[in-house]
Amino acid sequence: MFDWVDKHKRWIQLGLLILIVPSFAFFGVNYYFDQGGDRAAVAKVAGTSISPQEFENALRERQDQLRQMMKDKVDPSVLDSNEVRNAVINGLVEKRALLSHALRSGMVVPDPQVQKIIAEIPYFKDDATGKFSAQRYAQVLKSQGMTPVMFEERVRQDLRISQSRDSVSGSTVVPDAVVARLGRIREQRRELSAFVLSPDQYLSKVSTTDEEAKKFYDANQKDFRIPERVRVEYVTLSADSVAKSVVVPNEEIEEFYRKNEAQYRTNEERRASHILIATPKDATAAVKADARKRAEQLLADVRKAPGTFADAAKKNSQDPGSAASGGDLGFFSRGAMAKSFDEAVFAMAVGELRGPIETPYGFHIIRLDEIKAGQATPLDRVRGDIAGEIRKPRLAKAFSDAAETFSDAVFSQSDSLKPVADSLKLEMKTSDWITRDGGGDPQLTKPELLGKIFSEESIKQKRNTPAVEVAPNTLIAARVVDHRPANVLPFGDVKSDVIQKLQMDKATRVAQDEGKALLEGLRKGQSTEVAWGAPFEVSLQAPGQLQVEAARDVFSVPSSSLPAYVGAAVAKGRYVVYRVSKITDAPAMTAAQKEDLRKQLRELAAQQQFDAYLQAVKAIAEVSVDTAKVEKKGTP
C-alpha cells in the first residue's frame, strides 16, 4: 500500500494543496450522512444530493481560478456561461460517483497512509527546519475553517479515488509492434501542393434578385427578430461600499492584543529523534517482551557511543517516516505525539537519551535534540489581523444598517434612485441593452432581478425595483430608463445583408462544385491545367498548412499510387485540392524516442480506459442532474 503512495504522492499532494486554499467546498464528512432526497438538489448521485450551495461554492472557485489564469482579462459573461457551469457540475458528479464506487468496493485507506501524505505536504512544514509542524498544520486548517478530522477525511477520500483510478489504468501495456508502426506513421513526411477555390472568385458570376432576398427574409423571420430589451439605471450596495466607514482606532487594536496575548504566543516546541521497535496492536506479552528487550539493547549500545544514534536509527528503526533521516522527527509542540512519548520528551534535557518508552506503536528510544522556546508574536505583525477581527462584526452591522436604509429608500422614493445614491454615497450606473435573458453586467443577469426589471410596474410606471440580493452582501436596485418591445427588423434595414449572404451562399456552392469536378478529373487522369501552389512538407507531428478536413485522406494515400489527389470543403466556403507528390519514410527511432512514444500511448490508453470506467461508475450511481438549476436561460 505504501509503495502505491510513494508512486503517486506528488500529484496527490499537489491536489491537496489546491484544496487547502479555497474553503471545504465540494463535500466532506457530511457526505457519508447525506442520504436524503433533497428537493432543492442540483444533482443526485448514488442516493446522495449535491446542494445548490455546494454547486455555487464550486462554481465560484472555478471562476476565481479562471480569473487568475487569464489575469482578469476575461469576459464576465464567459465566467458564468453554461459551458463553465456544466463543467463544474460534471466535476462534482464524477468525483461523488467515484468516491461512492470506491466505498462500495471496500477500498480501505489506513491512518498511517493518510498521515504519511499529510506529513509530506510542503504547506504544513516549518520554514526553518523543512519538517512537518503540527502547530502550522492546525493553524492552516483553522484559517480555512476546517478541523483536522475534516481535512484528513478529505485526504482519505482523494486517496480512495486515486487508488480506484490506478486499479483501472495503472497496468496499461503498449506492444512494441504498435510503437514501431505508429512511430513510422507519425514521422513520415509527405510533399503536397495545394489549389484553393474560393467563393470570392465566383461572386461576380452569381446574382440575387430582390424577390429572392424577400423570400428568404419572409421564411427566416426569427433570424431578424430583436427581443424585448431595456436600459436601466442601477445602484449597487456591497460590503465594500460601507467598508470605508468602519475604522478601528489603534488604541482598540492594542487593547485587543493585550487581552488576547496568549493567542499570539507560539508554544514551546521540541525537536527529537527516535528509534522505534514496532509491535502490532494485538501483540502478545511475549512479542512485547522481545521488542522491549531489543529496544533496551539498542539503548545500551547508543549510550556507549552516542554518535552512532543516527546510524542505529537508519538500520533498526521501524518508523518508515523517520528512519531514513536518522530518526529525526523535527519540531513538534506538546500534545502532538502519543501521551507517553510526549511526556518523556517534554521532561528531558537537550542531548538526553530515554527509553524504552512504550506507545501503541511499540517501544521507542528517544533523544532530545533541541528546544525552541515559545515566544510572543509582535503586535506589528498581527495588527492587520486584529483590525480585521474587530472590524468584521462592525462591518456586518454597518452593512445591515445600510441595507435597511437602501431597501427603504428605493421603495419609499420609487421614482428615482438618486436620493439613495446620494444618501449612501453610491455610484449610479447606466446599463447597455438588457433582454429577459440578461446581457452586459453579469450582476444584472440574476433571474430574480431580471424578473423585477421586466415587471409591468418597472416598465410602464418606471418605478425602482425592490432591492435584490445578487450575491452575498451585494444588493442592487434598478430603474428602467428606456424600453423597446420585441420586433422584427424591417426588410429595408436588412436587405443588403440578406443579398450579400445569398450571394456568398451561391458562390460557395459553385466553388464546391467546381472543386469536386476538378478533383474527379485529376483522379481520372484528365489533362487539366492547375496553378498549384509551392510544394510543402507535412507530417502528423507537423501538419503545417494542411487543412484538418483533408488530413485523414492525405495521410491515407499509399506510396504506390503517386501522384495522388485529395479534396475537401474547408472553412469560409473554400474547397481545397491537394496533390500528394512524394512520401518520405521516417528514419528508425532511437531507444529514447521509442520509450517516449510508448509513454504517450500508455497515457492515452490509460485515459481511455479510465473514461470508460468513469462512464460505467456514473451509470451504476444513477446520476440525475437538474439542468434548470445549473444552466442560465439564454446563456451560451
Side-chain angles (χ1 to χ4, degrees):
M1 185 67 78
F2 282 100
D3 290 341
W4 184 92
V5 174
D6 287 332
K7 278 172 57 185
H8 297 80
K9 66 185 179 184
R10 179 177 175 80
W11 74 265
I12 292 173
Q13 290 168 355
L14 179 61
L16 293 174
L17 278 176
I18 295 170
L19 294 173
I20 294 167
V21 180
S23 61
F24 196 68
F26 290 98
F27 55 98
V29 178
N30 63 318
Y31 163 73
Y32 296 99
F33 304 99
D34 177 17
Q35 301 295 331
D38 184 1
R39 293 181 181 178
V42 176
K44 294 184 179 180
V45 185
T48 68
S49 299
I50 295 176
S51 69
Q53 186 62 48
E54 188 176 338
F55 171 66
E56 289 295 333
N57 287 346
L59 177 60
R60 277 198 297 272
E61 288 179 13
R62 181 56 182 154
Q63 290 169 339
D64 289 343
Q65 291 169 2
L66 290 172
R67 287 191 191 97
Q68 293 172 10
M69 288 166 56
M70 302 181 185
K71 303 186 185 300
D72 293 324
K73 296 177 181 178
V74 59
D75 185 343
S77 63
V78 172
L79 293 178
D80 206 27
S81 66
N82 284 339
E83 182 179 2
V84 172
R85 298 173 75 87
N86 281 315
V88 168
I89 192 64
N90 287 341
L92 290 171
V93 164
E94 289 177 0
K95 189 163 188 179
R96 183 73 64 89
L98 287 168
L99 179 58
S100 172
H101 189 261
L103 289 169
R104 287 189 171 92
S105 300
M107 288 192 175
V108 177
V109 180
D111 291 343
Q113 186 175 344
V114 175
Q115 293 162 4
K116 181 178 176 66
I117 287 291
I118 293 175
E120 295 186 14
I121 294 177
Y123 216 85
F124 299 139
K125 291 185 177 181
D126 184 275
D127 293 335
T129 66
K131 300 288 185 180
F132 175 80
S133 167
Q135 183 177 8
R136 179 160 185 167
Y137 176 56
Q139 288 173 343
V140 170
L141 295 187
K142 183 179 179 182
S143 71
Q144 301 302 321
M146 282 190 284
T147 66
V149 171
M150 292 168 64
F151 183 70
E152 287 158 19
E153 189 56 46
R154 182 57 190 272
V155 174
R156 200 182 306 276
Q157 291 174 9
D158 282 356
L159 285 170
R160 283 192 178 103
I161 292 172
S162 301
Q163 290 177 18
S164 178
R165 179 180 186 127
D166 192 63
S167 68
V168 174
S169 56
S171 58
T172 306
V173 176
V174 181
D176 289 342
V178 173
V179 175
R181 184 167 183 273
L182 185 58
R184 287 195 303 271
I185 296 172
R186 187 177 69 164
E187 300 297 336
Q188 188 183 71
R189 300 190 306 280
R190 298 185 171 222
E191 183 182 78
L192 309 179
S193 301
F195 179 69
V196 182
L197 296 94
S198 170
D200 294 337
Q201 301 169 232
Y202 301 96
L203 281 172
S204 61
K205 299 179 181 180
V206 296
S207 61
T208 299
T209 64
D210 290 353
E211 289 75 17
E212 287 177 301
K214 183 64 165 65
K215 183 178 180 180
F216 179 87
Y217 170 83
D218 291 340
N220 296 276
Q221 292 276 295
K222 66 179 185 303
D223 294 339
F224 306 102
R225 184 177 180 81
I226 299 178
E228 180 185 14
R229 59 205 185 279
V230 298
R231 286 192 305 114
V232 299
E233 292 178 338
Y234 65 101
V235 287
T236 304
L237 176 71
S238 66
D240 290 341
S241 305
V242 299
K244 290 181 286 189
S245 66
V246 181
V247 178
V248 180
N250 282 330
E251 295 77 12
E252 288 190 43
I253 295 174
E254 292 165 1
E255 182 181 0
F256 185 96
Y257 179 79
R258 284 194 299 274
K259 289 182 177 180
N260 298 275
E261 188 174 0
Q263 182 178 335
Y264 302 104
R265 175 176 292 278
T266 58
N267 296 324
E268 176 188 308
E269 290 186 331
R270 296 196 168 201
R271 182 178 180 183
S273 299
H274 79 142
I275 300 171
L276 171 65
I277 304 304
T279 57
K281 289 183 179 180
D282 56 354
T284 64
V287 170
K288 286 187 176 183
D290 286 345
R292 179 186 289 275
K293 185 176 181 181
R294 185 179 173 196
E296 289 172 344
Q297 182 58 54
L298 284 169
L299 176 60
D301 292 343
V302 294
R303 275 185 170 152
K304 292 176 183 176
T308 64
F309 188 97
D311 287 338
K314 290 177 182 179
K315 294 175 183 177
N316 300 284
S317 181
Q318 293 170 322
D319 175 11
S322 67
S325 58
D328 187 3
L329 294 170
F331 281 98
F332 53 89
S333 56
R334 189 183 293 273
M337 299 294 184
K339 185 179 179 181
S340 56
F341 191 101
D342 194 76
E343 288 175 350
V345 168
F346 281 87
M348 293 168 66
V350 174
E352 183 181 347
L353 289 168
R354 282 198 186 186
I357 304 296
E358 184 177 3
T359 72
Y361 303 101
F363 294 91
H364 306 257
I365 300 163
I366 306 172
R367 183 185 68 193
L368 182 62
D369 298 324
E370 192 175 346
I371 297 176
K372 186 189 294 183
Q375 58 184 2
T377 304
L379 173 59
D380 286 344
R381 284 181 55 185
V382 295
R383 185 181 297 276
D385 295 338
I386 294 174
E389 193 73 21
I390 297 173
R391 285 179 84 244
K392 193 181 297 181
R394 297 181 185 179
L395 184 57
K397 175 75 165 54
F399 179 79
S400 177
D401 293 343
E404 185 175 351
T405 300
F406 184 85
S407 299
D408 290 345
V410 299
F411 177 76
S412 61
Q413 297 172 293
S414 60
D415 59 344
S416 174
L417 292 172
K418 191 173 186 305
V420 71
D422 291 343
S423 172
L424 296 174
K425 296 181 174 57
L426 303 174
E427 180 185 2
M428 283 183 62
K429 297 180 181 179
T430 302
S431 74
D432 292 328
W433 289 107
I434 301 170
T435 69
R436 289 181 180 270
D437 293 330
D441 188 328
Q443 287 190 325
L444 299 179
T445 66
K446 299 296 180 182
E448 185 179 354
L449 180 59
L450 285 172
K452 304 294 185 186
I453 289 173
F454 281 91
S455 68
E456 183 175 342
E457 188 177 41
S458 293
I459 291 174
K460 291 188 176 180
Q461 300 178 30
K462 295 292 190 293
R463 293 187 180 279
N464 300 338
T465 68
V468 175
E469 186 174 27
V470 297
N473 296 327
T474 305
L475 300 176
I476 287 183
R479 180 172 174 272
V480 174
V481 295
D482 198 358
H483 172 255
R484 302 286 173 85
N487 67 298
V488 176
L489 291 169
F491 177 64
D493 290 355
V494 298
K495 176 182 174 181
S496 61
D497 293 330
V498 173
I499 290 176
Q500 184 178 5
K501 171 185 167 44
L502 295 180
Q503 287 282 95
M504 184 58 71
D505 288 348
K506 290 181 179 181
T508 296
R509 286 194 293 273
V510 174
Q512 304 273 324
D513 291 343
E514 291 276 344
K516 291 174 184 177
L518 174 61
L519 177 62
E520 185 178 356
L522 289 168
R523 284 176 170 173
K524 289 180 178 179
Q526 296 174 359
S527 178
T528 305
E529 287 192 13
V530 179
W532 296 105
F536 59 95
E537 279 194 336
V538 299
S539 69
L540 282 173
Q541 287 289 83
Q545 306 169 42
L546 177 60
Q547 297 291 327
V548 66
E549 294 86 350
R552 179 183 292 274
D553 289 341
V554 164
F555 288 107
S556 297
V557 170
S559 58
S560 59
S561 58
L562 300 181
Y565 302 94
V566 170
V570 298
K572 299 181 181 178
R574 297 168 300 158
Y575 194 90
V576 181
V577 178
Y578 290 104
R579 179 179 63 188
V580 184
S581 53
K582 186 167 66 173
I583 297 177
T584 304
D585 286 332
M589 287 191 296
T590 65
Q593 289 172 328
K594 283 184 180 179
E595 192 53 39
D596 182 60
L597 180 56
R598 189 191 307 278
K599 181 181 177 182
Q600 294 176 40
L601 293 174
R602 188 185 298 121
E603 290 174 354
L604 179 61
Q607 184 60 51
Q608 290 175 337
Q609 287 181 352
F610 180 73
D611 289 345
Y613 165 74
L614 179 58
Q615 294 309 310
V617 165
K618 288 169 68 176
I620 294 170
E622 297 182 351
V623 174
S624 64
V625 177
D626 190 339
T627 306
K629 290 187 175 72
V630 174
E631 296 187 349
K632 296 181 62 179
K633 185 179 178 183
T635 304

